[in-house]
Amino acid sequence: MKTAIFKIEGMNCDACANTIKSLVEKEPRVRMASVSFSERQARVLYDPQAVQEDRLVDAIQKPGFRVVEREATESGR
């Protein structure tokens, strides 16, 4: 498993964060997503062998948000 953190521009409220969370969690082999409007970021735990990070970026950007920075770390599991 891998954790990716995406800095996001364009969120205006908690509903925007919920929209992003819902879209990302629909991607295959995403175990968990948490999106914070106040921190302007999404944290996603996913299987990197089943889904590419770029696909997660596309899911976030599809409704008009913009990923401006990303960071990924390997998980111990």
Side-chain angles (χ1 to χ4, degrees), residues 32-59:
M32 186 273 313
S34 64
V35 184
S36 171
F37 163 65
S38 62
E39 294 178 11
R40 304 279 198 273
Q41 74 176 22
R43 180 182 302 266
V44 183
L45 179 65
Y46 68 101
D47 180 351
Q49 294 184 3
V51 63
Q52 296 296 315
E53 195 173 295
D54 287 341
R55 185 166 172 171
L56 300 175
V57 170
D58 290 344

Side-chain angles (χ1 to χ4, degrees), residues 1 5 8 15 17 20 31 38 42 46 48-50 61 63 65-66:
M1 297 304 284
I5 300 170
I8 303 168
I20 292 169
R31 180 168 289 169
S38 62
Y46 68 101
Q49 294 184 3
Q61 295 188 143
F65 304 106
R66 193 162 73 100

Side-chain angles (χ1 to χ4, degrees), residues 4 9 17 31 38 71 73:
E9 286 185 350
R31 180 168 289 169
S38 62
E71 170 186 331
T73 59

Side-chain angles (χ1 to χ4, degrees), residues 13-34:
C13 59
D14 286 328
C16 293
N18 289 334
T19 296
I20 292 169
K21 179 178 177 7
S22 175
L23 289 169
V24 170
E25 286 182 336
K26 287 179 183 174
E27 291 298 316
R29 305 287 295 172
V30 168
R31 180 168 289 169
M32 186 273 313
S34 64

